[in-house]
Amino acid sequence: MALLKANKDLISAGRQEFSVLLNQQVFNDPLISEEDMVTVVEDWMNFYINYYRQQVTGEPQERDRALQELRQELNTLANPFLAKYRDFLKSHELRSHPPPSS
């Protein structure tokens, strides 16, 4: 069963809005741990899911499927963001604690 057009449009809008949110993030001091950033991103994702839960249409199965697809799309965007943050933390750690010179 294909997703309803209205739900596809909502998923697309949610994906675009979440992408904008992630792209607006600036990594600077004070830093938070990688685990804390994962929690923040999961909270953002839950906020988006709960927001769009009220807007998806169709039978309960259709709504559940649309929300599942939205979650997958948000995860797809979140994973590179978290990898970028992880790399940022590593580079910041290297600048703060340079390796001993030989």
Side-chain angles (χ1 to χ4, degrees):
M1 172 165 68
L3 286 176
L4 296 174
K5 168 98 171 85
N7 289 344
K8 286 182 182 180
D9 292 346
L10 287 173
I11 291 167
S12 178
R15 187 180 196 292
Q16 289 173 347
E17 292 168 6
F18 193 69
S19 179
V20 168
L21 172 69
L22 294 177
N23 289 332
Q24 289 176 340
Q25 302 313 303
V26 176
F27 306 145
N28 54 17
D29 290 325
L31 300 176
I32 64 171
S33 71
E34 180 181 348
E35 295 80 16
D36 288 344
M37 182 59 81
V38 168
T39 300
V40 168
V41 171
E42 287 173 353
D43 286 348
W44 289 338
M45 288 174 47
N46 288 330
F47 174 81
Y48 275 79
I49 297 297
N50 288 329
Y51 175 77
Y52 283 101
R53 181 182 317 275
Q54 301 166 18
Q55 299 182 42
V56 293
T57 60
E59 297 295 323
Q61 275 185 303
E62 173 66 23
R63 291 193 307 266
D64 290 346
R65 189 159 168 255
L67 292 171
Q68 181 181 19
E69 187 166 322
L70 176 59
R71 182 171 294 281
Q72 289 171 345
E73 291 290 328
L74 299 183
N75 267 322
T76 298
L77 294 171
N79 289 334
F81 172 82
L82 291 171
K84 180 179 167 184
Y85 188 72
R86 189 176 312 114
D87 291 344
F88 170 78
L89 286 178
K90 287 178 185 173
S91 71
H92 191 271
E93 185 177 294
L94 287 176
R95 280 185 274 143
S96 299
H97 303 79
S101 53
S102 329

